[in-house]
Amino acid sequence: MIKYSVELENITKRFGQVVAVNNVSLRIKENEFFSLLGPSGCGKTTTLRIIAGLEKPDTGVVKLHGQDVTYIPTHKRNIGMVFQHLALFPHMDVYENIAFGLRMRGFSDNDISRRVKRMLEVVRLPGFERRKINQLSGGQQQRVALARALVMEPEVLLLDEPLGALDLKIRQEMMVELKRIQREVGTTFVYVTHDQNEAMVMSDRIAVMNEGVIQQVDSPDTIYMRPKNIFVASFIGEQINFIEGVYKGNQEFEAKGGMVLRVSDNPDAINKKSVIAIRPERIMIGDKAPPRGMNSVEGRVEMMVFKGSSIEYRISANISDEIIVFVPNISPTMKMYKIGEKVYLTWDPEAGIVLPFESKPAEPRKIG
Amino acid sequence: MSRLEEERKPFHIKILDRIRASKLLKIIVLLAPASIFLAIFFFSPFIIALMYSFNMFKQVVYTYVFVPRISLEYYIRLLDFPGIFVTMQRSFYYAIVTVILTLLLSYPAAYYIGFKLDPKYKSTAVLLFIIPFWVNFLLRTYSMKFVLHDEGLVNTLLMTLGLIKEPIRFLGTDLAVIIVMAYDYMFLMFLPLYGVLEKLDKELLEAAATLGASPYKTFLKVTLPLSSPGIIAGSLLVFIPAVGEFIIPMLVGGVNTTTLGTLIYSFFITVRGEAGWGIGSAAGLIYIIFIMVLSYLYIKLVGAEVQFG
Ligand SMILES: Nc1ncnc2c1ncn2[C@@H]1O[C@H](COP(=O)(O)OP(=O)(O)OP(=O)(O)O)[C@@H](O)[C@H]1O
Ligand SMILES: [Mg+2]
């Protein structure tokens, strides 16, 4: 039987007119690294604060380890939290910050000193006990905040964009560290971020959120390769192509101009107005028409950008004004196409994912 | 910037750069106005009072002439003055009680307004809180005579409610002086407290809660230590004028509420002359030293508490 660390059942939270969290249900497994990913203002922090008990939901139930804690105050829930702005106590040194929770729980001085010392080793800050908080770098403060929460051995650790304030290099280091620590301590992590890269690198599962609603909950590769709607498809990954048309069933999709494309099956979309999503790196480019059986579209190069590891083309064709293609830079003799050149685009049927059409798809805002 | 570029700079730019780089010039320009102001209005009268207290002026008809001597006569006469130690003790006692009272009154209000109140009402609330202090100090204090009078507002109210049969005698007592001092100085405690509490990061309290601290423990371990700069500032702001207060004890107090302030006042205004000014100056200097020592000890003690508490 699967044990769940956190269960949210039909949680809704409004602030005045704004519905910050809209009927959210989630089940987070024990020892899972679970991310809540979405654009700014989509309700991630509010969801996390509801799990922590810092915010009361208007409706719904919060369970921790199977126990209903909806009306239990924060200090009685066995959770740890790392805040977006860390919220380290400025009037205490590193040692006292980490010891704070243990003191609240009435541990003996010996016990406290032993646990703090061990925790400082886990976050790789041994010998920093007597440092003042403002004498630490951003990354070190980050670790102290993590240690302060982890030393309590909480059943669930909630992290709200903890790497947001760090620059790219430390952020990448910290991602690896976080994952290592999570394995080492074996605690459930609920990680809030608007950075898909962070979510992809660390998570076992990701919940993509938009405007208070959970869009999809899946593993990083499924989220990337099998998005369930236009929002997820465009929010995740660098770029994606959409082609409008109707799904006819039997892996056949009729694009706008009447051209039939082979796609992966989606029984829900049969005979409905749909959209196919194709990742730019799944499309191949060539100057000859490919053999039959593959999707093939004739087009014209409108733009070419050399990006180092890859080359980005923008191609116009009759099924779409702009198809983006990424060609990996695999050899110095690789053929490069010039603007205005006629080319053929080819892709696997299963690279085309059929999604329900939305008249006004929610505009994903990408940050960072 | 290369040496060459440096050489090619026009002369006036070089001069300007020099001026910008000069630390001394900055110090002079920024600090001089206030320093000169203080030198004229604080330091010189202070030196003159010091000289008076050491009997360095001699009255000749209507003017005072400088005599090069140092005599402790006025200090000895001051310490021989009947009731001087009781008076000093009383000044101290009034000031301490005023500090405690204003702190107890202001902290919950500053906490509520700075912390719990919807931000859009905050400035209005602060304004309402300090409105009484827009009224001229003398008027505000004098009006207390009517409030605390035997047939004043407080007594009438208490009698109507049937809580007392006889009016309570406030005027002329320690209680009246303390109540009025607390009222007059409360805003000096409230404002710095509000300042720190308003700025205190609420996330810190939430962090404490996630670490298992109850609201009460959070207050003791986080809110209180982090608001201590406000407590220190407020306490000093109230204590310093309170310990030298002379108007309030004169207006609502009586013969038994003499303070160091009223004493100094009477030496300068009532006794006057060479001796009055001399003893008054001696008392004033003792008062300043007293305040300096106490403030220093207080900051040392409470400041240390803030660091490690
Ligand atoms: N205390 C509050 N009062 C009023 N509105 C709020 C409050 N907290 C959040 N909101 C609103 O609720 C919505 C969701 O906010 P939330 O902080 O959960 O977003 P988020 O996904 O964490 O965004 P970000 O990535 O910018 O941190 C936003 O529209 C926000 O303006
Ligand atoms: Mg947030």
Side-chain angles (χ1 to χ4, degrees):
Chain A
M1 203 187 92
I2 301 174
K3 281 202 194 145
Y4 294 104
S5 280
V6 180
E7 287 164 276
L8 299 181
E9 292 168 11
N10 309 98
I11 297 284
T12 297
K13 174 76 185 174
R14 288 167 200 274
F15 293 108
Q17 295 298 308
V18 183
V19 186
V21 178
N22 193 349
N23 198 25
V24 162
S25 296
L26 279 177
R27 290 172 143 191
I28 299 167
K29 290 175 214 150
E30 223 166 54
N31 299 345
E32 190 172 30
F33 198 120
F34 189 93
S35 289
L36 276 171
L37 173 66
S40 180
C42 74
K44 307 177 295 283
T45 296
T46 308
T47 308
L48 204 69
R49 289 171 59 82
I50 286 171
I51 299 174
L54 296 169
E55 214 78 73
K56 289 263 163 295
D58 297 334
T59 60
V61 174
V62 183
K63 285 184 185 166
L64 292 176
H65 280 254
Q67 213 194 342
D68 185 344
V69 296
T70 317
Y71 298 102
I72 308 266
T74 303
H75 68 277
K76 289 183 184 153
R77 299 186 185 190
N78 192 6
I79 49 114
M81 184 149 171
V82 179
F83 289 78
Q84 186 159 10
H85 305 292
L86 304 183
L88 292 169
F89 301 125
H91 58 303
M92 300 176 192
D93 58 18
V94 169
Y95 182 92
E96 282 306 321
N97 262 281
I98 300 175
F100 185 89
L102 299 171
R103 290 200 196 288
M104 291 301 125
R105 296 266 151 96
F107 283 79
S108 74
D109 280 350
N110 274 340
D111 225 15
I112 290 175
S113 127
R114 215 189 57 240
R115 281 167 194 253
V116 171
K117 197 165 163 14
R118 200 189 57 210
M119 212 59 230
L120 281 171
E121 269 155 26
V122 172
V123 297
R124 309 222 161 124
L125 283 177
F128 277 68
E129 284 89 342
R130 293 299 159 207
R131 284 281 192 101
K132 296 252 172 60
I133 296 306
N134 58 15
Q135 296 171 336
L136 300 174
S137 73
Q140 290 166 342
Q141 292 185 5
Q142 193 59 65
R143 286 158 208 253
V144 175
L146 200 61
R148 183 180 69 172
L150 279 173
V151 79
M152 305 295 291
E153 298 175 4
E155 287 167 354
V156 183
L157 184 67
L158 309 169
L159 304 102
D160 191 358
E161 312 218 17
L163 308 184
L166 304 179
D167 59 38
L168 188 65
K169 197 160 154 42
I170 312 175
R171 194 152 78 214
Q172 281 167 341
E173 274 172 30
M174 281 302 292
M175 279 192 242
V176 180
E177 285 281 273
L178 273 177
K179 191 70 198 170
R180 173 185 66 81
I181 291 168
Q182 194 248 346
R183 280 203 211 96
E184 205 170 305
V185 296
T187 299
T188 311
F189 274 40
V190 184
Y191 188 94
V192 159
T193 181
H194 63 251
D195 183 318
Q196 52 166 310
N197 185 36
E198 285 177 19
M200 288 284 181
V201 170
M202 294 185 283
S203 314
D204 298 316
R205 282 195 307 154
I206 299 174
V208 180
M209 236 182 141
N210 189 37
E211 295 184 341
V213 179
I214 301 282
Q215 305 288 322
Q216 183 169 358
V217 184
D218 265 312
S219 63
D221 54 311
T222 313
I223 293 262
Y224 186 83
M225 291 191 287
R226 294 270 152 229
K228 284 207 175 117
N229 59 34
I230 294 180
F231 177 84
V232 177
S234 48
F235 187 73
I236 303 294
E238 198 183 333
Q239 299 272 7
I240 197 153
N241 297 296
F242 292 117
I243 297 163
E244 286 180 21
V246 177
Y247 181 56
K248 292 289 178 193
N250 198 23
Q251 290 187 283
E252 285 182 354
F253 180 88
E254 194 182 307
K256 253 187 181 162
M259 185 173 190
V260 173
L261 300 168
R262 305 226 1 110
V263 295
S264 63
D265 186 38
N266 181 351
D268 295 337
I270 291 175
N271 288 327
K272 282 190 201 141
K273 195 166 179 196
S274 308
V275 168
I276 51 173
I278 313 165
R279 295 268 172 218
E281 70 272 18
R282 301 296 300 273
I283 303 177
M284 284 163 289
I285 191 165
D287 47 13
K288 290 189 204 68
R292 298 201 146 269
M294 293 274 264
N295 286 310
S296 171
V297 172
E298 195 184 311
R300 207 181 89 101
V301 178
E302 298 291 345
M303 204 176 105
M304 187 276 256
V305 180
F306 183 77
K307 296 207 294 189
S309 66
S310 71
I311 298 159
E312 178 181 331
Y313 292 102
R314 307 233 166 180
I315 313 289
S316 64
N318 60 350
I319 54 163
S320 170
D321 293 342
E322 187 181 79
I323 300 175
I324 302 168
V325 181
F326 296 160
V327 181
N329 184 358
I330 43 168
S331 135
T333 59
M334 178 178 67
K335 173 153 173 115
M336 296 215 254
Y337 300 92
K338 290 181 202 65
I339 290 172
E341 236 176 297
K342 193 171 111 179
V343 290
Y344 292 92
L345 302 181
T346 324
W347 64 91
D348 246 17
E350 66 67 47
I353 304 143
V354 181
L355 302 174
F357 177 82
E358 288 165 37
S359 58
K360 252 203 307 176
E363 190 62 28
R365 278 172 289 161
K366 290 196 187 179
I367 307 141
Chain B
M1 188 176 296
S2 73
R3 256 198 91 86
L4 205 72
E5 273 177 78
E6 188 64 49
E7 308 254 292
R8 264 204 246 122
K9 272 188 175 173
F11 182 68
H12 69 280
I13 300 274
K14 272 193 216 166
I15 295 286
L16 278 177
D17 280 354
R18 277 277 169 76
I19 291 173
R20 271 191 212 110
S22 160
K23 220 178 188 168
L24 189 68
L25 205 75
K26 267 181 209 147
I27 291 175
I28 291 173
V29 170
L30 297 176
L31 283 182
S35 309
I36 293 170
F37 196 80
L38 282 180
I40 295 172
F41 293 104
F42 169 73
F43 208 60
S44 52
F46 180 78
I47 296 292
I48 292 169
L50 198 71
M51 289 163 80
Y52 266 114
S53 76
F54 287 114
N55 205 356
M56 289 163 99
F57 288 107
K58 192 169 155 24
Q59 191 172 16
V60 178
V61 197
Y62 287 119
T63 55
Y64 290 88
V65 259
F66 174 70
V67 233
R69 64 176 174 203
I70 291 186
S71 138
L72 291 176
E73 186 199 332
Y74 293 142
Y75 285 92
I76 294 164
R77 279 173 68 178
L78 176 71
L79 297 181
D80 275 346
F81 196 80
I84 178 71
F85 291 106
V86 177
T87 304
M88 282 166 80
Q89 222 175 15
R90 187 183 296 125
S91 305
F92 182 71
Y93 165 72
Y94 284 169
I96 287 289
V97 176
T98 305
V99 166
I100 294 170
L101 207 59
T102 50
L103 182 63
L104 291 178
L105 289 170
S106 304
Y107 200 98
Y111 181 84
Y112 181 80
I113 299 173
F115 245 53
K116 307 274 169 179
L117 200 63
D118 188 327
K120 56 178 185 265
Y121 302 127
K122 275 185 186 173
S123 43
T124 318
V126 171
L127 211 67
L128 286 176
F129 209 81
I130 60 173
I131 271 185
F133 309 104
W134 294 4
V135 178
N136 170 284
F137 173 76
L138 204 60
L139 280 182
R140 183 165 21 113
T141 307
Y142 202 74
S143 66
M144 287 302 103
K145 257 183 124 99
F146 300 98
V147 175
L148 296 176
H149 197 266
D150 284 2
E151 284 138 40
L153 189 73
V154 175
N155 274 317
T156 314
L157 195 73
L158 290 176
M159 298 233 288
T160 317
L161 289 174
L163 290 172
I164 50 170
K165 287 211 179 67
E166 294 285 303
I168 301 172
R169 174 121 208 118
F170 286 113
L171 293 180
T173 66
D174 289 346
L175 188 62
V177 177
I178 288 167
I179 290 175
V180 176
M181 283 203 345
Y183 163 57
D184 270 336
Y185 292 128
M186 190 161 70
F187 76 109
L188 290 174
M189 181 64 88
F190 174 81
L191 287 176
L193 280 179
Y194 174 75
V196 289
L197 285 168
E198 213 275 322
K199 273 202 240 83
L200 202 147
D201 184 0
K202 276 138 212 89
E203 230 175 49
L204 294 176
L205 311 189
E206 296 183 343
T210 65
L211 293 165
S214 63
Y216 167 72
K217 282 271 185 192
T218 304
F219 179 77
L220 279 188
K221 297 287 173 193
V222 181
T223 314
L224 200 57
L226 284 175
S227 53
S228 56
I231 299 178
I232 294 178
S235 304
L236 288 177
L237 284 177
V238 172
F239 183 80
I240 291 169
V243 85
E245 181 56 54
F246 68 100
I247 295 176
I248 297 170
M250 288 199 302
L251 284 183
V252 299
V255 282
N256 291 328
T257 63
T258 319
T259 62
L260 205 54
T262 54
L263 205 63
I264 295 173
Y265 177 87
S266 62
F267 279 127
F268 273 92
I269 309 295
T270 321
V271 181
R272 310 219 315 265
E274 207 183 293
W277 287 27
I279 301 174
S281 299
L285 283 161
I286 288 180
Y287 162 70
I288 286 185
I289 291 165
F290 188 58
I291 284 187
M292 285 201 304
V293 170
L294 280 175
S295 305
Y296 175 77
L297 288 178
Y298 182 70
I299 293 173
K300 261 276 177 193
L301 253 128
V302 186
E305 191 72 22
V306 176
Q307 298 284 315
F308 308 111

